Amino acid sequence: MTQSHRSLQAHARTAFAVICALLLIAPLFFISQIILGALGLPEISPFGAEGRNILAHTPVFSLVAPFLRAPLIGLVLILLLRRSNWTAVVFMIATLIHLVSWIIILGNAYFTLPTGYLTLALEAAGIYLLFRYPHWPGPRAEAAARASAVSVSDR
């Protein structure tokens, strides 16, 4: 593996981490709105009375999805830092949950936020990075590669 390819791989990991951090924003926002609605405090919500209509007409799976996605995306960040092979699997599960809940919520006439499109774009960029750079070696593999490169150059 060339030095420039390793550099691109390192930047891809950073870009993927930023994408995951951005993907955490929407579910956390929707969790806060669901909790405000459940507590009967829609006046605190930026949607006001319209927020009550949105929650009343949202299917249960779409209400549960942010509570599933937020921990999964957090887990993706942890797995990415640990350079686990499960990073892609957990990211795909979180993406699938978003796709299903977003398709379901499109039937809600009161829900008009464009966040689903932005989230899909971020997920597509994340999937691209996962497939373009499928192997993000751990620190031990990088140290072994450097050691072997040094031993080859000493000959």
Side-chain angles (χ1 to χ4, degrees):
M1 183 182 310
T2 65
Q3 181 64 29
S4 65
H5 186 70
R6 261 189 246 133
S7 175
L8 287 174
Q9 207 166 11
H11 292 303
R13 288 187 70 235
T14 304
F16 188 75
V18 169
I19 287 170
C20 288
L22 290 172
L23 284 172
L24 267 174
I25 294 170
L28 292 176
F29 171 74
F30 289 123
I31 287 171
S32 71
Q33 299 309 301
I34 293 167
I35 290 173
L36 286 174
L39 293 175
L41 302 170
E43 60 275 358
I44 298 175
S45 170
F47 303 114
E50 184 181 334
R52 217 176 293 128
N53 288 335
I54 292 171
L55 288 175
H57 293 91
T58 300
V60 174
F61 183 77
S62 293
L63 291 174
V64 173
F67 292 96
L68 297 174
R69 286 189 65 235
L72 284 175
I73 295 171
L75 180 61
V76 168
L77 280 169
I78 292 169
L79 292 174
L80 179 67
L81 291 174
R82 296 189 62 174
R83 295 179 175 159
S84 171
N85 293 333
W86 288 94
T87 304
V89 174
V90 176
F91 186 76
M92 293 300 191
I93 292 170
T95 301
L96 182 64
I97 290 171
H98 173 250
L99 281 173
V100 171
S101 69
W102 186 63
I103 289 170
I104 291 171
I105 205 168
L106 284 177
N108 184 348
Y110 294 101
F111 188 83
T112 58
L113 291 176
T115 55
Y117 298 105
L118 178 60
T119 303
L120 285 176
L122 287 170
E123 289 169 343
I127 291 170
Y128 169 77
L129 289 173
L130 285 173
F131 282 108
R132 176 68 176 95
Y133 302 101
H135 180 66
W136 289 330
R140 290 188 192 129
E142 288 175 358
R146 273 186 294 231
S148 68
V150 169
S151 67
V152 169
S153 65
D154 289 340
R155 292 181 189 173

